């Protein structure tokens, strides 16, 4: 009887492995394999076609001590992440709270605000290039009506990155939908109890709404941070492939792409990719470490 039971469990286990085998093969071929290859190639002078000689830590030393554009691209990316992540998070929360009210035409407003999140790609960036045109763009035209002289946006090094952050705020509808779903999951009994205790709207938002949606805020911040470090397409299109005036739009991924596919210094680009991985990994671990201090899960006992 025990032998039959053992054979049955063994067959069941083998069947499970057979079902997950396509995923395992795909992971080894398309994720783990390229990941390991990129780590090895980062210590070589790999140029895609014929050259792949071991050079030790030469790529990393050149990046950290000799390549000024590396630090410029890293600074541009950190600047973008430092402002875009909090602004888009706050904007999405603010918008979701407004659209969580019981007002006429609510579905229409939700659709309108979510629509920019659906639109993406080169067409949107070309549209924003027209909107931010300093002489004929709609943005400066509206600012002129208010008596404000609009900046040169994409033509001024001091305004190029704020231009992209401004454009990013236009697409907070995706995050808004996420927060809206979270807000509608907050128990109404909590608000009723707070009203009985005399809590005002701001107090209800501060002590009930925010704590209850902190898991979604945490998820949004982590994913936005990772996505922010991967910015490339916007800068490439909106700078016409130049990196902007005075390299002000030369973001990390953009510079890495230049090294890999313009000068074919793939080993150098792979070294850059691993440095980026380490930076994002450390920041993610810091977020995970700090999460228990401010992220509240319903029903979880405080330590």
């Amino acid at each position: 009887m025990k032998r039959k039971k053992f054979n049955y469990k063994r067959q069941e286990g083998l069947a499970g492995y057979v079902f997950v085998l396509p995923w395992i093969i795909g992971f080894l071929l398309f994720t783990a394999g390229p990941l390991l290859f990129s780590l090895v190639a980062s210590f070589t002078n790999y140029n895609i076609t014929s050259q792949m000689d071991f050079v030790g830590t030469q790529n990393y030393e050149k990046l950290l001590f000799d390549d000024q554009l590396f630090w410029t691209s890293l600074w541009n990316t950190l600047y973008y992440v430092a402002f875009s992540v909090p602004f888009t998070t706050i904007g999405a929360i603010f918008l979701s709270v407004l659209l969580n009210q019981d007002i006429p035409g609510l579905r229409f407003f939700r659709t309108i605000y979510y629509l920019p999140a659906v639109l993406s790609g080169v067409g949107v960036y070309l549209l924003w290039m027209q909107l931010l045109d300093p002489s004929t763009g709609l943005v400066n035209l509206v600012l002129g009506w208010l008596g404000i002289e609009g900046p040169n946006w994409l033509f001024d090094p001091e305004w190029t990155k704020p231009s992209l952050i401004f454009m990013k705020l236009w697409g907070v509808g995706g995050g808004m939908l996420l927060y809206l779903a979270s807000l509608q999951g907050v128990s109404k009994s909590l608000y009723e109890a707070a009203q009985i205790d005399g809590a005002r709207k701001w107090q209800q938002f501060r002590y009930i709404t925010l704590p209850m949606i902190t898991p979604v805020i945490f998820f949004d911040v982590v994913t936005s941070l990772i996505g922010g470090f991967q910015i490339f397409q916007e800068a490439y299109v909106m700078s016409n492939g130049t990196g902007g005036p005075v390299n002000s739009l030369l973001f990390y991924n953009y510079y890495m792409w230049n090294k890999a596919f313009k000068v074919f210094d793939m080993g150098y680009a792979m070294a850059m990719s691993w440095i980026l991985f380490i930076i994002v990994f450390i920041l993610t671990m810091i977020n995970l470490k700090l999460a228990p201090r401010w992220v509240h899960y319903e029903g979880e006992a405080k330590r």
Side-chain angles (χ1 to χ4, degrees), residues 219-290:
F219 170 80
D220 187 34
V221 167
V222 171
T223 54
S224 297
L225 186 144
I226 295 172
F229 272 97
Q230 298 178 27
I231 180 174
F232 166 75
Q233 192 177 32
E234 300 94 321
Y236 182 80
V237 174
M238 299 181 74
S239 68
N240 292 315
T242 64
V246 200
N247 292 319
S248 57
L249 289 180
L250 185 67
F251 292 109
Y252 196 96
N253 267 19
Y254 188 8
Y255 185 48
M256 183 166 59
W257 181 86
N258 284 341
K259 284 294 183 181
F261 299 108
K262 279 193 173 182
V263 298
F264 298 105
D265 195 351
M266 187 63 74
Y268 196 80
M270 288 181 176
M272 288 187 65
S273 70
W274 276 96
I275 290 178
L276 179 63
F277 169 77
I278 293 170
I279 293 172
V280 173
F281 179 79
I282 291 173
L283 291 176
T284 303
M285 288 300 103
I286 291 173
N287 277 320
L288 289 171
K289 189 69 176 178
L290 296 176

Side-chain angles (χ1 to χ4, degrees), residues 11 26 87 96 98 124 148 157 199 202 220 230 238 250 266 303:
Q11 291 175 0
F87 284 168
S96 64
L98 290 180
V124 172
I148 302 173
W202 167 249
D220 187 34
Q230 298 178 27
M238 299 181 74
L250 185 67
M266 187 63 74
R303 295 180 181 178

Side-chain angles (χ1 to χ4, degrees), residues 94-109:
F94 177 74
L95 199 57
S96 64
V97 171
L98 290 180
L99 296 179
N100 195 40
Q101 310 301 316
D102 187 14
I103 59 175
L106 193 58
R107 292 183 179 178
F108 170 77
F109 287 114

Side-chain angles (χ1 to χ4, degrees), residues 27 61 73 77 122 141 143 147 153 176 186 243 253 265 287-288:
F27 175 77
E61 291 173 2
S73 65
T77 306
V122 176
L141 180 62
L143 291 176
W153 298 111
M176 175 270 296
V186 179
N253 267 19
D265 195 351
N287 277 320
L288 289 171

Side-chain angles (χ1 to χ4, degrees), residues 174-214:
M176 175 270 296
L177 197 65
L178 192 66
Y179 288 115
L180 188 59
S182 179
L183 287 172
Q184 293 182 348
V186 179
S187 176
K188 292 183 179 180
S189 61
L190 296 174
Y191 294 107
E192 292 171 355
Q195 289 174 359
I196 293 173
D197 290 338
R200 298 180 179 180
K201 290 293 184 182
W202 167 249
Q203 292 173 322
Q204 293 176 32
F205 177 77
R206 170 66 180 83
Y207 295 105
I208 297 177
T209 304
L210 274 182
M212 296 304 292
I213 66 172
T214 47

Side-chain angles (χ1 to χ4, degrees), residues 42-61:
S42 69
F43 295 98
T44 69
N45 59 356
Y46 180 47
N47 68 348
I48 302 180
T49 56
S50 58
Q51 197 173 21
M52 194 174 181
D53 302 317
F54 183 76
V55 296
T57 59
Q58 181 178 316
N59 289 330
Y60 293 94
E61 291 173 2

Side-chain angles (χ1 to χ4, degrees), residues 138-151:
L138 183 61
V139 175
N140 277 7
L141 180 62
V142 173
L143 291 176
W145 292 344
L146 301 174
I148 302 173
E149 184 179 355

Side-chain angles (χ1 to χ4, degrees), residues 8-84:
Y8 174 76
K9 286 186 176 180
R10 188 175 182 181
Q11 291 175 0
E12 191 178 44
L14 287 173
Y17 282 114
V18 170
F19 279 113
V20 299
L21 188 61
W23 181 88
I24 294 175
I25 294 174
F27 175 77
L28 292 175
L29 288 177
F30 302 112
T31 302
L35 195 66
L36 182 61
F37 176 79
S38 70
L39 178 60
V40 174
S42 69
F43 295 98
T44 69
N45 59 356
Y46 180 47
N47 68 348
I48 302 180
T49 56
S50 58
Q51 197 173 21
M52 194 174 181
D53 302 317
F54 183 76
V55 296
T57 59
Q58 181 178 316
N59 289 330
Y60 293 94
E61 291 173 2
K62 184 178 178 182
L63 273 171
L64 297 175
F65 303 111
D66 298 328
D67 193 347
Q68 185 59 41
L69 286 180
F70 164 78
W71 292 107
T72 300
S73 65
L74 183 59
W75 161 250
N76 289 338
T77 306
L78 289 172
Y79 180 101
Y80 175 80
V81 171
F83 286 98
S84 67

